[in-house]
Amino acid sequence: MTTKKVMVVDDSHTVQALVSSAFANHGFSVICASDGMDAIEKLSMHDDVVLIFCDVNMPRMSGLEMVSEVKRMQKYVDIPVVMLTTEGRPELMRRAKEAGASAWIVKPFKPEQLVAVVKKLVERTG
Amino acid sequence: MSNTSGEERWVELAERYVLRCTPELFTAYGMAIEGKTSSRVSFDSDSLVGVAGFVGDVCGILSLRIDAAVVAACHPIQKDAAPNRRMLFDWTSELANQLVGRIKLRLGNHGINFRVSAPIALDGARMRFVGANGHTCRASFDTGTGDLDVWVDAELRKSVTWSEAFFRDDLSDPNVEGTVIFL
């Protein structure tokens, strides 16, 4: 059986590990990337990612830039992106929505919230 | 409208949100902390310092000096083995990032906006904090496991015209941390 893959894009290895541990017993494997450019590179190597968690403030390529880039590529357009960030201004949320993000979580988060979001959004998109 | 000057008001707001947001953040990671009367800060070999810079209506840095034992105790990945030094550094920078983010959200209510840099963590041994901008606020806390200190050293941009919200004290707290918002 193939496990579904979730990607986490965050320059903090602790946040990457926290997201990975959240999905350890839920039938998902987690691909980690450290910034937007790293994420786009890794997406090209894993064509079965079902959802992306993405920080906003990262070196090289920000989360909002990454969402715009990913959503421009036809093969990734249906992958839900959830922003996972310390930012919470409505203006940024509006820009994320326009870029194609599906949800926004302000850190700190509870691991079970991430699992619930994946189940909801992945089920919604089939 | 208050008679308080912009600079005095900025210091007042910075102090208020450091004192409010620091305990909130550490409580979210299972650590009760209490403010303590400021005393001499010990930068020793067990100190780690997370630093996040910001630029916008105010420009400066937030520094979080924290005992390594505290970082380990509130590390969100608790395993049989204690977190290694690299993990402690990473978590220290993320704590500084989350603290400045939490404060930024509250300051945004008052019309103060800025961008935050990628945070870094430093070894605190033999470090010393010297405020560069003259608008420094500092708060110290005790966790029972160890101490932590927060500094904000920042300067108001002179060209900014402050809105009424800058001086208001009756604004509701954004309180969005830990909630899922579907867009």
Side-chain angles (χ1 to χ4, degrees), chain A residues 5-23:
Chain A
K5 290 177 185 163
V6 167
M7 175 175 276
V8 53
V9 191
D10 199 303
D11 50 330
S12 166
H13 294 291
T14 309
V15 173
Q16 291 179 6
L18 199 53
V19 175
S20 299
S21 69
F23 288 98

Side-chain angles (χ1 to χ4, degrees), chain A residues 85-104:
Chain A
T85 174
T86 61
E87 298 280 358
R89 281 184 296 144
E91 160 66 11
L92 279 179
M93 291 188 204
R94 186 187 58 76
R95 283 172 52 197
K97 184 180 180 181
E98 284 173 4
S102 300
W104 187 286

Side-chain angles (χ1 to χ4, degrees), chain A:
Chain A
M1 193 180 93
T2 313
T3 54
K4 290 179 176 174
K5 290 177 185 163
V6 167
M7 175 175 276
V8 53
V9 191
D10 199 303
D11 50 330
S12 166
H13 294 291
T14 309
V15 173
Q16 291 179 6
L18 199 53
V19 175
S20 299
S21 69
F23 288 98
N25 298 313
H26 290 276
F28 291 91
S29 61
V30 178
I31 312 294
C32 297
S34 296
D35 57 55
M37 288 176 77
D38 189 26
I40 288 170
E41 197 177 309
K42 284 180 175 158
L43 267 179
S44 69
M45 295 185 274
H46 301 272
D47 57 4
D48 46 358
V49 170
V50 296
L51 186 140
I52 302 169
F53 288 107
C54 183
D55 192 9
V56 171
N57 296 324
M58 293 180 291
R60 298 209 299 170
M61 183 187 280
S62 77
L64 291 182
E65 289 169 327
M66 192 215 84
V67 178
S68 298
E69 284 291 314
V70 165
K71 293 294 180 177
R72 261 198 286 270
M73 294 182 236
Q74 192 56 40
K75 58 182 175 176
Y76 304 134
V77 79
D78 291 330
I79 301 177
V81 180
V82 177
M83 310 311 293
L84 192 57
T85 174
T86 61
E87 298 280 358
R89 281 184 296 144
E91 160 66 11
L92 279 179
M93 291 188 204
R94 186 187 58 76
R95 283 172 52 197
K97 184 180 180 181
E98 284 173 4
S102 300
W104 187 286
I105 301 174
V106 181
K107 296 173 184 173
F109 57 88
K110 290 187 169 62
E112 56 269 25
Q113 287 178 312
L114 306 188
V115 177
V117 167
V118 167
K119 287 184 174 167
K120 184 179 174 100
L121 290 175
V122 172
E123 279 168 15
R124 185 198 283 177
T125 56

Side-chain angles (χ1 to χ4, degrees), chain B residues 3 12 29 43 62 68 103 126 129 145 155 164 167:
Chain B
N3 289 325
E12 189 181 307
Y29 290 108
F43 281 100
L62 177 144
I103 293 169
R126 292 188 297 278
F129 185 79
T145 305
E155 192 167 44
E164 187 205 356
F167 294 99

